[in-house]
Amino acid sequence: MSLLRFLCSAALLAAQDREYKPKEEKIPGPPIEQPIAYSHKVHAGRLGIKCTMCHTIPAASDDGFRATFPSERTCMGCHASIKKDSPAIQILAEFAAKKEAVPWKRVYRVPDIIWFSHSVHVKEAKVECATCHGDVAQRDVLFQEKSVGMMACMACHAEHKAPNGCDTCHSSQ
Ligand code: HEC
Ligand code: HEC
Ligand code: HEC
Ligand code: HEC
Ligand code: HEC
């Protein structure tokens, strides 16, 4: 069934003006150097802070696309006192004082034309973060561990009998 589906998709794709060429992804990707040496292994692993305390996953009715990044106030809730003499925390405190978001470099990205919702996957379909992002709580520095290319999306949709028509992810709206 899924092979047939794949062949149908391939035929459809060939018929498009712009043929689908898989996005280039090197997996595992290189470690991404961030403006502040923040560690998931320390915060989510050792300290056991829940993923959704920092990545709030807004409801679908309220722009459920993003996972979101934590505001500097979330960090300063602890770091106004913890390790405040550390050079890394001083950089953090400067951003917080200016009320400026830390310019975190992105690890996972799909093009803006793609309809992808965290809320649908995490809250409705109950997919674990680790299925799409790997064992984040064990990483000091993040890197791309999983594909977010079209073939990976479609393979999981086929497995879960989720919709796989082109306009599921490529909305014509
Ligand atoms: C619930 C409290 C808490 C929150 C919230 C928190 N941290 Fe931490 N953070 C800690 C603790 C505790 C340590 C020290 C761990 C250790 O003993 O090494 C730490 C360590 C660090 C360090 C290493 C400092 C050093 O020089 O050793 C950095 C950098 C850091 N945190 C950045 C952040 C950032 C950025 C955020 C927000 C995204 C954040 N933290 C949110 C508690 C917190
Ligand atoms: C204390 C706050 C905090 C907690 C708790 C936390 N994160 Fe993060 N997360 C961050 C910050 C800050 C960044 C940006 C820096 C980086 O990429 O390491 C980030 C980045 C990410 C990214 C990369 C996003 C992208 O594409 O650029 C993923 C994926 C992620 N977190 C998943 C998780 C998961 C899964 C958990 C729970 C196991 C978790 N995070 C817990 C603060 C947090
Ligand atoms: C079904 C796969 C999937 C699951 C499950 C998933 N993510 Fe993501 N995540 C993605 C994709 C795809 C992107 C890139 C989205 C984009 O570029 O718009 C992404 C991007 C992110 C980002 C970057 C910032 C943002 O707001 O989009 C963070 C942070 C993140 N994910 C954290 C998490 C956390 C935490 C969980 C679990 C609570 C989680 N993700 C569950 C696929 C997933
Ligand atoms: C680990 C499995 C998995 C991965 C990977 C995955 N999805 Fe999904 N997706 C699901 C499931 C399960 C549903 C829920 C289907 C339902 O309940 O109708 C879903 C639902 C959706 C929906 C809503 C469909 C609808 O009309 O209800 C969209 C859009 C979507 N996914 C896009 C994507 C995109 C884009 C990617 C890749 C970046 C992706 N998904 C990766 C499992 C996955
Ligand atoms: C489950 C989600 C999903 C479905 C279903 C899906 N796509 Fe995609 N598509 C993506 C994602 C994510 C990307 C961007 C990443 C990549 O290029 O692999 C993409 C990229 C593309 C691109 C390249 C776009 C560009 O600007 O480079 C084309 C062309 C395309 N898709 C056509 C199709 C056609 C035709 C179908 C129906 C047979 C389809 N897609 C079904 C998720 C999906």
Side-chain angles (χ1 to χ4, degrees):
M1 178 56 200
S2 66
L3 178 65
L4 181 64
R5 226 180 196 156
F6 177 77
L7 290 174
C8 289
S9 313
L12 246 169
L13 288 169
Q16 298 270 313
D17 320 349
R18 264 194 315 157
E19 212 172 309
Y20 174 69
K21 286 198 215 72
K23 186 175 73 168
E24 262 187 57
E25 290 179 303
K26 188 176 167 285
I27 297 172
I32 309 282
E33 200 183 314
Q34 296 289 355
I36 296 172
Y38 167 81
S39 163
H40 280 84
K41 190 175 182 180
V42 168
H43 294 83
R46 189 144 53 82
L47 299 172
I49 308 174
K50 276 186 133 179
C51 311
T52 48
M53 188 190 125
C54 290
H55 306 293
T56 54
I57 322 276
S61 58
D62 180 24
D63 180 16
F65 293 96
R66 305 266 151 239
T68 74
F69 288 98
S71 92
E72 292 53 63
R73 270 177 296 133
T74 306
C75 311
M76 291 309 286
C78 289
H79 287 294
S81 51
I82 295 169
K83 291 249 174 187
K84 64 177 184 187
D85 296 329
S86 142
I89 299 303
Q90 283 170 359
I91 299 173
L92 175 67
E94 276 169 36
F95 281 107
K98 286 185 287 186
K99 294 193 166 60
E100 218 175 85
V102 178
W104 302 113
K105 294 204 189 100
R106 292 293 300 269
V107 182
Y108 291 88
R109 255 315 198 182
V110 292
D112 288 340
I113 51 159
I114 303 298
W115 203 93
F116 176 82
S117 156
H118 272 90
S119 183
V120 163
H121 289 89
V122 173
K123 293 186 173 160
E124 288 163 37
K126 311 271 183 231
V127 183
E128 302 279 344
C129 312
T131 307
C132 298
H133 296 306
D135 200 354
V136 171
Q138 293 309 313
R139 307 281 176 253
D140 278 318
V141 180
L142 298 191
F143 54 92
Q144 183 173 354
E145 308 192 28
K146 303 278 181 177
S147 171
V148 290
M150 176 164 134
M151 291 309 169
C153 312
M154 290 185 81
C156 185
H157 279 209
E159 194 185 313
H160 288 81
K161 302 199 167 25
N164 245 344
C166 310
D167 61 355
T168 305
C169 310
H170 299 279
S171 171
S172 44
Q173 296 159 35

